[in-house]
Amino acid sequence: MSYLGIDIGGTKTALLLKRPGAARPAYARFDWLPGADVGADLTALAAAVSRIVEPGGLSAVRAAGVALPATVRGGRVAAWPSRPSWTGLRLDALVERVLPGVLVAHEDDGSLAALAEAARTGVNDLAYLGLGIGGGLVLGGRLHSGPRGGAVEIGHMVVDPGGPVCVCGRTGCLQAVASGTATLARAAAALGGPVTPDSFRIGLAENRAWAREPLRRTAAALSVAVINLGELVQCAEVRIGGGFGHGVPGLVAAVREGTRRLARPGTTPPAVRRAAVGARASLHGALLPARGTDTAG
């Protein structure tokens, strides 16, 4: 029997199918249609699932894990700025329409990325920061969540009260200051034209101020977040990943240096390292609850 992981993002979705005996999981991804309603989203997701599970179909899938960045409370999607049509709907009912009859577990994407990092590295106390920005905490080898079962919202820690407006409506959240999107927007404003991840990396390699200064601000905000995590939960490591975080040269070193400067005398800040799983940590993490939910296997 197979296990399916699905990472549902705000702009794209990725799938990973682990078949018995296969050397590596099957991978697929697709982009959401901008502005589509939840019905169109589910149709697109169901079509992607059908393609990746062939030839055995859903009957060959023992269990599935779903990662997503939405805020879920009491089983309902409480907030998801990127896919507003999902707000207020029961997540289990939505998933059942796509995966009928399949045992499914769902969790915050940042939390699952942290779980994947802990599983890969063997570190029992770590935080993960994906520069979406999502994040998660593993403490004592177990995924940490709030007392009401909600995911930890590392991306919505306020690191700059006078900073830019976040998608959540507040100002100065880590996500608004240090996400890949925010970093590229600052670079574009400084350059006076569009900046892609590739052109940003070229700008860094050429030591262009329009790339260097936005990255410096991102690293400074991430350093504050790392120090705060170390003070609050005393995690041993912070792993930085996601497509942007994993691919930008010099970012991890800059955050590491920033935490060194901010550390209190007599204390050791968390080690700052590049994500071990890579840019798809939350997708690989989605396979973990699938296997954990499968009590028969």
Side-chain angles (χ1 to χ4, degrees):
M1 298 292 283
S2 301
Y3 296 92
L4 178 64
I6 305 176
D7 183 12
I8 302 177
T11 60
K12 67 181 185 300
T13 288
L15 303 91
L16 204 62
L17 184 71
K18 177 64 175 175
R19 291 187 173 95
R24 61 180 59 187
Y27 170 78
R29 60 154 284 175
F30 68 92
D31 295 330
W32 293 122
L33 290 174
D37 63 19
V38 68
D41 284 349
L42 295 180
T43 297
L45 180 56
V49 168
S50 295
R51 288 192 296 270
I52 200 171
V53 300
E54 291 299 329
L58 278 178
S59 61
V61 177
R62 185 184 290 274
V66 175
L68 76 166
T71 300
V72 180
R73 294 282 185 267
R76 291 187 182 274
V77 178
W80 193 2
S82 298
R83 311 306 297 174
S85 67
W86 291 54
T87 303
L89 301 178
R90 289 203 60 82
L91 184 57
D92 290 346
L94 299 178
V95 172
E96 173 65 20
R97 288 169 59 180
V98 176
L99 300 167
V102 177
L103 193 62
V104 180
H106 59 80
E107 183 56 83
D108 175 77
D109 58 347
S111 295
L112 290 178
L115 203 60
E117 285 292 314
R120 177 69 62 87
T121 63
V123 177
N124 287 328
D125 299 284
L126 64 74
Y128 171 83
L129 290 175
L131 296 196
I133 284 176
L137 278 174
V138 172
L139 299 176
R142 299 176 64 85
L143 194 61
H144 179 74
S145 60
R148 292 174 293 176
V152 294
E153 296 286 0
I154 296 176
H156 292 291
M157 292 193 302
V158 176
V159 295
D160 181 4
V165 178
C166 182
V167 293
C168 74
R170 193 163 54 196
T171 59
C173 290
L174 182 64
Q175 178 176 325
V177 179
S179 68
T181 299
T183 308
L184 293 178
R186 288 196 300 273
L191 180 64
V195 175
T196 67
D198 286 342
S199 64
F200 184 72
R201 285 189 288 269
I202 292 170
L204 289 174
E206 295 176 348
N207 198 31
R208 304 291 186 182
W210 60 262
R212 186 180 65 245
E213 289 306 307
L215 187 67
R216 182 199 59 76
R217 186 177 179 191
T218 291
L222 290 171
S223 299
V224 171
V226 170
I227 285 294
N228 287 340
L229 288 167
E231 297 284 10
L232 289 171
V233 299
Q234 298 183 356
C235 52
E237 291 187 3
V238 174
R239 295 274 174 164
I240 296 177
F244 186 83
H246 199 73
V248 172
L251 174 61
V252 171
V255 176
R256 189 181 295 130
E257 175 60 20
T259 60
R260 186 194 65 78
R261 291 195 303 268
L262 289 172
R264 286 187 298 117
T267 66
T268 301
V272 179
R273 295 190 169 95
R274 197 166 179 246
V277 178
R280 300 175 184 168
S282 55
L283 179 58
H284 284 274
L287 285 175
L288 299 176
R291 299 184 72 90
T293 298
D294 175 24
T295 57

